[in-house]
Amino acid sequence: MKINEYNYEPIGKRIKQARLAKKYTQEFVGNKIGVGMQHISDIERGLAGMSVASLLDIMTVLECDADYILFGKSTSNPNNPINKIISNMDQEQRMYAEELLRVYAKSCGINLD
């Protein structure tokens, strides 16, 4: 049984945006992950999918996370001020920071359920 055809275009656009933000060429990315420039072009235009291994390689080269590539929302952006603060905390400090953020969000009327 075949599942409905998937639209790879949004993923390809985000890969292209991440690549251009780094000022990398398709050839550079292709060489880094071991595929041809044409395959990178096809991925960026949504004409081709990619293996999980290729996705992981692309994320590594472009220094972006899967949430951004797959869903358009970055959760581990190192330039995000909250992520910068949290990355310097130990596990216990992160737990307290999360609780403080939840309390603050609730006081702002944000439903986290």
Side-chain angles (χ1 to χ4, degrees), residues 101-110:
L101 191 55
R102 286 182 186 281
V103 169
Y104 178 70
K106 187 176 179 180
S107 75
C108 293
I110 299 171

Side-chain angles (χ1 to χ4, degrees), residues 26-35:
Q26 290 174 337
E27 182 177 22
F28 176 82
V29 174
N31 287 338
K32 286 289 198 181
I33 70 167
V35 301

Side-chain angles (χ1 to χ4, degrees), residues 30-104:
N31 287 338
K32 286 289 198 181
I33 70 167
V35 301
M37 181 181 76
Q38 185 61 50
H39 187 58
I40 298 298
S41 174
D42 290 346
I43 289 171
E44 288 182 356
R45 291 183 293 142
L47 301 177
M50 70 203 97
S51 67
V52 172
S54 290
L55 174 61
L56 292 171
D57 289 344
I58 288 171
M59 291 174 354
T60 299
V61 170
L62 299 179
E63 298 175 329
C64 59
D65 61 20
D67 286 340
Y68 171 71
I69 294 295
L70 297 174
F71 308 111
K73 295 183 180 184
S74 184
T75 57
S76 64
N77 180 347
N79 295 321
N80 178 320
I82 292 174
N83 290 341
K84 282 182 180 180
I85 294 167
I86 290 174
S87 69
N88 292 309
M89 294 179 172
D90 63 30
Q91 186 62 35
E92 184 177 13
Q93 292 167 330
R94 287 180 187 169
M95 181 185 69
Y96 288 122
E98 180 182 349
E99 184 59 31
L100 285 169
L101 191 55
R102 286 182 186 281
V103 169
Y104 178 70

Side-chain angles (χ1 to χ4, degrees), residues 6-25:
Y6 186 78
N7 179 7
Y8 291 102
E9 192 173 339
I11 291 172
K13 285 181 179 180
R14 288 188 287 271
I15 289 171
K16 182 177 182 177
Q17 289 170 345
R19 177 181 61 77
L20 293 175
K22 291 284 192 185
K23 298 182 175 25
Y24 292 161
T25 64

